[in-house]
């Protein structure tokens, strides 16, 4: 198509140049007046400049560069919308962006049954929310192939005064399945050239990729929610029974403390069972860990000591719910030794653009033979599963480099660190 256009331009330039050249030669020989001669020479100059510009504009690499720029500009600006998935609000926003950046007279996006968005000529009667009317669009979905509509009848608009006369319909995909279509409309079939078809297909591929990323993000979020529910359901029965026994014993020796612990215990487990937020302020997580430690202090007394070192200004940083308390509980369950007290140091600090939450103890430590397998799937019981859960949820919510790391020496102590590194651009 582009080579044919270039040939036409070359032929027109040759004929015009020949005609004006004849006039110029005649003027030199004295056959025409001076004004005509000046016009002829000026015409030759304009044609020379025009030929250069025309050749540049019809070069395939120039066309491809302009086309790529249009596609990338639309895809870049639509990313924030497409991350939410394919819905009417997203589709309408993307249609308007594509209309601004392309030569189309109108742009539409459908799912498999419904027109989700429409922008451009015909908005007064091509209303989003209705069923797909164009037969070729349904065919494109069923056959998973693009369709070229070159007549008003192909478009199938029932409104007689509609100016849309041609269209390109390209399927949108998620994981290999057709989920809808991208449609570019034009007022004349003359614009149905290879360049336009290639551009619409390229844009459809990019939008499909964005939809797949959106689906992946939703699956990751769902997995994090399921892991959160699993952790909430994983109430350590030993902790439950031991705390109740501690409160029962205090009823005889210190009724006031027993009442306060009982109230605290109710608040603690209410939050454990009812928390629905994936991300919560760090201060709420720290308070939950402190609440847990109050029960363990009541049980073990001076055998346990906890120290907090929290960098200022981090209280409102959002972190996954239930990630600090399991780290502290891990120390109490596995590090406490019968012949010496246990010191637990909880540190929170900024770390390489994110934050690091570490829980260090001076207790029993982990044997070297087991250390490398602590976070493996299916390894460990009770709190071992909780640590794996915390590790997976942190990695699900944050970027590369996030998760748990464990350092330990048997008989010396253990440090578990949760690194939360924001995703790039997040």
């Amino acid at each position: 198509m582009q080579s044919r256009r270039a040939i036409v331009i070359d032929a027109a330039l040759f004929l015009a140049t020949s005609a004006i050249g004849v006039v110029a030669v005649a003027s030199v020989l004295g056959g025409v007046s001076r004004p005509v001669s000046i016009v002829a020479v000026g015409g030759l100059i304009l044609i020379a400049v025009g030929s250069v510009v025309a050749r540049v504009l019809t070069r395939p690499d120039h066309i491809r560069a302009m086309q790529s720029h249009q596609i990338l500009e639309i895809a870049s600006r639509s990313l924030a919308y497409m991350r939410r998935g394919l819905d009417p609000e997203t589709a309408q926003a993307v249609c308007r962006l594509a209309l601004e950046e392309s030569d189309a007279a109108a742009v539409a996006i459908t799912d498999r049954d419904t027109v989700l968005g429409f922008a451009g000529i015909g908005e007064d009667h091509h209303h989003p929310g209705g069923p797909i009317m164009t037969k070729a669009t349904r065919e494109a979905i069923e056959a998973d192939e693009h369709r070229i509509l070159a007549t008003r009848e192909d478009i199938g608009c029932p409104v007689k005064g509609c100016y849309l006369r041609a269209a390109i319909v390209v399927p949108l995909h998620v994981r290999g399945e057709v989920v809808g279509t991208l449609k570019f409309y034009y007022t004349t079939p003359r614009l149905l050239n290879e360049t336009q078809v290639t551009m619409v297909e390229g844009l459809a591929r990019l939008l499909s990729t964005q939809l797949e990323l959106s689906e992946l993000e939703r699956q990751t979020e769902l997995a994090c929610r399921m892991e959160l529910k699993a952790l909430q359901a994983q109430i350590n029965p030993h902790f439950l029974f031991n705390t109740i026994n501690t409160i029962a014993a205090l009823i005889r020796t210190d009724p006031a403390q027993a009442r306060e612990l009982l109230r605290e215990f109710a608040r603690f487990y209410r939050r454990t069972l009812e928390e629905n937020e994936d991300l919560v302020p760090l201060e709420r997580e720290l308070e939950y860990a402190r609440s847990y430690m109050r029960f363990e202090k009541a049980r073990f007394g001076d055998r346990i000591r906890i120290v907090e070192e929290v960098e200022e200004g981090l209280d409102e940083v959002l972190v996954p719910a239930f990630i600090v308390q399991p780290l502290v509980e891990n120390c109490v369950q596995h590090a406490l030794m019968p012949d010496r007290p246990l010191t637990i140091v909880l540190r929170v600090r900024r770390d390489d653009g994110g934050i690091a939450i570490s829980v260090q103890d001076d207790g029993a430590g982990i044997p070297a033979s087991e250390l490398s397998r602590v976070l493996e799937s299916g390894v460990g019981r009770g709190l071992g599963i909780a640590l794996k859960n915390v590790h997976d949820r942190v990695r699900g919510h944050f970027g590369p480099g996030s998760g748990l790391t464990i350092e330990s020496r048997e008989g010396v102590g253990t440090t578990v660190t949760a690194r939360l590194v924001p995703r790039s651009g997040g």
Side-chain angles (χ1 to χ4, degrees):
M1 185 73 71
Q2 296 302 324
S3 60
R4 188 181 303 119
R5 182 181 297 176
I7 293 172
V8 171
I9 292 174
D10 287 344
L13 288 172
F14 175 76
L15 293 174
T17 303
S18 300
I20 297 178
V22 170
V23 175
V25 171
S27 68
V28 171
L29 298 176
V32 294
S33 64
R34 181 177 179 80
V36 173
S37 176
I38 293 174
V39 170
V41 172
L44 285 172
I45 295 173
L46 289 174
I47 289 175
V49 173
S51 65
V52 172
V53 172
R55 296 302 290 161
V56 168
L57 292 179
T58 55
R59 274 172 27 207
D61 57 343
H62 174 81
I63 297 295
R64 285 193 293 268
M66 293 294 293
Q67 181 187 85
S68 298
H69 174 76
Q70 284 181 304
I71 294 172
L72 291 175
E73 183 67 21
I74 298 169
S76 175
R77 294 177 62 189
S78 66
L79 180 58
Y81 298 100
M82 296 300 282
R83 289 180 66 175
R84 299 204 300 262
L86 192 60
D87 59 36
E89 183 180 355
T90 294
Q92 189 63 31
V94 174
C95 286
R96 296 208 177 279
L97 290 175
L99 185 67
E100 292 175 13
E101 297 292 339
S102 70
D103 297 327
V107 178
I109 290 178
T110 77
D111 60 16
R112 293 185 62 92
D113 303 300
T114 307
V115 179
L116 297 178
F118 186 97
I121 294 175
E123 281 190 59
D124 58 327
H125 57 276
H126 285 270
H127 299 298
I132 294 173
M133 301 294 293
T134 306
K135 179 182 177 182
T137 302
R138 294 193 294 271
E139 291 175 350
I141 293 171
E142 293 302 322
D144 191 8
E145 295 176 348
H146 77 256
R147 288 288 186 269
I148 307 298
L149 286 61
T151 68
R152 185 178 182 280
E153 289 71 25
D154 288 341
I155 293 175
C157 179
V159 177
K160 293 183 178 181
C162 184
Y163 290 102
L164 301 179
R165 296 289 188 273
I168 301 169
V169 184
V170 180
L172 297 172
H173 301 87
V174 173
R175 290 178 299 181
E177 297 292 329
V178 178
V179 296
T181 64
L182 173 67
K183 304 172 70 173
F184 273 43
Y185 290 94
Y186 305 91
T187 56
T188 172
R190 289 197 300 274
L191 293 176
L192 295 176
N193 53 53
E194 183 181 348
T195 299
Q196 291 297 317
V197 173
T198 303
M199 192 198 80
V200 179
E201 288 182 334
L203 179 59
R205 283 193 294 270
L206 283 178
L207 294 180
S208 295
T209 300
Q210 291 176 354
L211 286 174
E212 290 198 12
L213 291 174
S214 169
E215 181 71 16
L216 180 61
E217 285 186 2
R218 279 200 297 274
Q219 290 180 357
T220 299
E221 181 181 351
L222 178 60
C224 287
R225 287 182 180 274
M226 295 299 293
E227 288 167 354
L228 173 59
K229 294 300 181 184
L231 188 61
Q232 287 173 289
Q234 189 184 308
I235 300 174
N236 190 322
H238 295 293
F239 168 67
L240 177 62
F241 297 142
N242 289 332
T243 302
I244 291 174
N245 287 334
T246 299
I247 294 173
L250 285 171
I251 289 174
R252 295 189 298 271
T253 61
D254 192 342
Q257 185 183 6
R259 283 195 299 272
E260 182 56 34
L261 279 178
L262 193 57
R263 294 191 191 97
E264 184 73 23
F265 192 63
R267 288 193 296 268
F268 179 85
Y269 268 108
R270 183 177 296 114
R271 189 203 163 189
T272 300
L273 298 174
E274 295 180 356
E275 179 66 78
N276 291 315
E277 297 178 64
D278 286 338
L279 298 174
V280 299
L282 174 64
E283 177 58 27
R284 192 193 301 183
E285 270 299 285
L286 295 177
E287 182 53 41
Y288 186 71
R290 295 182 193 116
S291 181
Y292 165 80
M293 283 305 300
R294 281 193 279 272
F295 305 130
E296 298 295 33
K297 284 285 290 182
R299 177 183 170 198
F300 291 107
D302 294 338
R303 291 184 60 196
I304 293 182
R305 185 172 76 98
I306 187 162
V307 179
E308 282 191 26
E309 299 176 2
V310 180
E311 188 174 327
E312 291 185 5
L314 297 178
D315 288 354
E316 297 303 315
V317 171
L318 295 179
V319 302
F322 301 121
I323 65 167
V324 177
Q325 182 271 336
L327 305 186
V328 176
E329 186 175 354
N330 185 64
C331 296
V332 177
Q333 293 294 317
H334 299 291
L336 186 62
M337 303 176 71
D339 58 343
R340 70 186 196 208
L342 177 71
T343 298
I344 301 172
V345 181
L346 171 59
R347 295 188 179 91
V348 184
R349 67 184 190 281
R350 292 179 176 84
D351 179 64
D352 293 333
I355 66 171
I357 303 170
S358 65
V359 178
Q360 179 182 3
D361 67 65
D362 57 359
I366 303 172
S369 59
E370 299 178 12
L371 182 59
S372 63
R373 304 181 63 236
V374 171
L375 295 179
E376 289 182 10
S377 298
V379 175
R381 296 177 299 169
L383 264 295
I385 297 174
L387 290 183
K388 178 69 165 62
N389 186 300
V390 171
H391 178 62
D392 290 342
R393 288 193 299 119
V394 167
R395 291 200 303 175
H397 279 294
F398 292 86
S402 299
L404 297 191
T405 57
I406 302 175
E407 301 174 5
S408 186
R409 288 178 59 192
E410 192 171 7
V412 176
T414 301
T415 301
V416 180
T417 301
R419 287 187 171 82
L420 284 61
V421 182
R423 299 182 190 278
S424 58

